[in-house]
Amino acid sequence: MTDAVLDSLRAAVESAPFDVPLRLHLAGLLVERGLRAEAIRHVASALALEPDNADAAELMARAPEPERKPANVIPLRFVEDERAAVPDDYAGGDLALEIERSEVSLADVGGMTEVKKRLNAAFLAPMRNPELRAMYGKSMRGGLLLYGPPGCGKTFLAKAVAGELGARFLSVGLNDVLDMWLGNSERNLHEVFVRARAHAPCVLFVDELDGIGQKRSRLTTSAGRNVVNQLLAELDGVASSNEGLFVLAATNAPWDVDLALRRPGRFDRTVLVLPPDEPARQAILELNLRDRPVEGVNLKALARQTDGFSGADLAHVCETAAEQALLESVDSGQPRPIGMAELSTAVRQVRPSTAGWFATAKNVALYGNTDGTYDDLLAYLKKRRLL
């Protein structure tokens, strides 16, 4: 079975997403080729459409066999006993932090080819090739900053990076760190890094970095500046080693992040995460409609109609269409599936939430890009004729 045949079948399934026998045929071939994660996704879609399909149930039972790890993925050692990794002088804290093992990878991210290439070049390729990294003297100090409009999948991409590395995943945001009492925010931030180091290898994802690491020149109180100083110290590993700790962050406003956090050795690599492209929009729509009763839906046509929509916008489109079909079912007393009429109406009702972000970003790209930080953003704006 050649890759060309598989690609043809994938294209056929995209054109006819509700053709269950075709989808199961592709899933069976994927299982034979060892592409089990992709096969499971197709079987799950088939079961959502036909829950009693015996062939789908049989394939689902066969698919989850252990997969071989790619030879170039570095072996990562998990610390099973947290007490052995936590410093002896650490008293502990009461933060409710959930550390998980990511089950997703970049293969689960639809489309976004350019983002994946940038992630691979900036972060994943050096991690997977330690010998070449040593040969070229490539340092892995520093973190990776994901920025772009809200609702475009920055958190999911961070989870995918953790899955690619086979590492644990810890996500923290403003509510986990900031506290009204003086000194507690710094203590919380330190505890986050202690927990992440204890579970190394671990991807620590800091959401809304502009809120935690805001420019100190704009802060009117010492409390806010102390939080930024604490984050700088943790990133530098002043008191503890950050070996096996991979720090990623996300922000909708990178221009509000303190400049000291952007210097080499900290968040010195950036990846622009834009609204999903057409293949990604189609995958997102399929995911959001998978467990809903649908009929006669052309996902490819919908993906073309929703250019500029974020992932959150697309989810809202599906929710709006489902609400319309539900109300019509209540009025008629007869359940009816979601069709193209409801989805097209929802597309007209929902406005892309990214327009406001691009209005602000345009000014930054034009007048605040003296060091080339926003060259990728500038190129995108020119391509889309938004300047």
Side-chain angles (χ1 to χ4, degrees):
M1 178 62 59
T2 64
D3 291 339
V5 173
L6 285 179
D7 289 340
S8 297
L9 285 171
R10 290 185 180 109
V13 169
E14 287 183 5
S15 301
F18 305 107
D19 189 332
V20 173
L22 178 61
R23 190 179 286 275
L24 291 179
H25 178 59
L26 172 60
L29 296 176
L30 291 170
V31 170
E32 293 174 5
R33 286 288 300 274
L35 302 174
R36 304 184 189 281
E38 184 181 355
I40 289 173
R41 291 197 299 275
H42 285 293
V43 175
S45 296
L47 286 172
L49 295 169
E50 296 182 8
D52 298 327
N53 191 299
D55 293 334
E58 189 270 335
L59 264 177
M60 184 61 83
R62 283 171 48 201
E65 296 176 6
E67 294 185 33
R68 293 183 178 179
K69 294 293 182 184
N72 63 342
V73 174
I74 59 171
L76 298 175
R77 179 180 63 85
F78 287 101
V79 178
E80 298 299 342
D81 184 0
E82 181 175 338
R83 293 170 300 176
V86 176
D88 294 335
D89 60 350
Y90 179 64
D94 56 0
L95 281 185
L97 300 175
E98 182 179 352
I99 299 178
E100 56 185 293
R101 291 189 182 181
S102 177
E103 301 295 332
V104 298
S105 67
L106 290 181
D108 299 305
V109 180
M112 296 190 176
T113 304
E114 291 303 316
V115 173
K116 293 176 184 177
K117 287 180 180 178
R118 181 74 180 111
L119 281 171
N120 189 61
F123 203 73
L124 294 172
M127 286 305 308
R128 289 170 168 169
N129 297 276
E131 296 84 3
L132 289 176
R133 189 171 77 242
M135 178 187 300
Y136 289 100
K138 170 68 174 175
S139 171
M140 283 311 297
R141 285 184 58 81
L144 185 71
L145 179 61
L146 305 172
Y147 80 96
C152 290
K154 292 183 284 292
T155 302
F156 190 75
L157 280 169
K159 282 188 176 183
V161 169
E164 291 284 334
L165 295 175
R168 287 187 173 98
F169 181 77
L170 171 59
S171 176
V172 295
L174 294 178
N175 292 337
D176 300 305
V177 174
L178 299 186
D179 193 283
M180 64 181 292
W181 301 109
L182 193 65
N184 277 7
S185 297
E186 300 94 293
R187 187 178 299 109
N188 290 342
L189 190 56
H190 178 60
E191 182 177 343
V192 165
F193 274 82
V194 167
R195 297 276 189 92
R197 293 181 188 117
H199 289 85
C202 179
V203 169
L204 172 58
F205 176 64
V206 183
D207 201 6
E208 298 178 280
L209 181 65
D210 55 294
I212 298 174
Q214 190 177 154
K215 285 183 176 178
R216 285 169 288 182
S217 60
R218 296 183 179 179
L219 297 171
T220 57
T221 64
S222 61
R225 289 191 289 272
N226 289 341
V227 174
V228 180
N229 293 336
Q230 182 68 41
L231 179 56
L232 294 171
E234 298 293 348
L235 289 171
D236 291 340
V238 173
S240 303
S241 171
N242 283 339
E243 183 68 29
L245 177 61
F246 315 112
V247 186
L248 276 69
T251 177
N252 301 327
W255 40 84
D256 289 337
V257 174
D258 192 271
L259 294 178
L261 287 167
R262 305 289 302 276
R263 77 150 177 79
R266 292 166 183 165
F267 293 109
D268 49 1
R269 285 157 287 182
T270 60
V271 174
L272 173 61
V273 182
L274 293 163
D277 52 20
E278 187 172 320
R281 294 197 299 274
Q282 187 170 336
I284 293 169
L285 288 166
E286 180 181 0
L287 178 65
N288 281 278
L289 293 172
R290 180 176 296 170
D291 297 323
R292 291 181 163 120
V294 294
E295 184 177 273
V297 173
N298 187 332
L299 291 176
K300 187 168 289 188
L302 280 174
R304 285 195 299 268
Q305 295 172 24
T306 50
D307 186 27
F309 282 56
S310 70
D313 295 333
L314 294 170
H316 187 42
V317 165
C318 296
E319 186 69 25
T320 302
E323 183 179 273
Q324 182 180 341
L326 186 150
L327 291 176
E328 291 177 1
S329 299
V330 170
D331 291 340
S332 65
Q334 183 68 34
R336 54 164 298 171
I338 303 168
M340 280 297 289
E342 289 78 17
L343 286 163
S344 296
T345 299
V347 168
R348 290 192 296 271
Q349 291 176 350
V350 176
R351 294 288 181 267
S353 61
T354 58
W357 186 88
F358 280 114
T360 301
K362 177 174 68 174
N363 293 327
V364 175
L366 285 174
Y367 309 113
N369 190 33
T370 55
D371 60 354
T373 298
Y374 303 110
D375 282 350
D376 289 348
L377 174 59
L378 191 61
Y380 177 81
L381 292 172
K382 288 179 178 177
K383 181 180 178 181
R384 297 296 298 269
R385 299 179 180 178
L386 296 175
L387 291 178

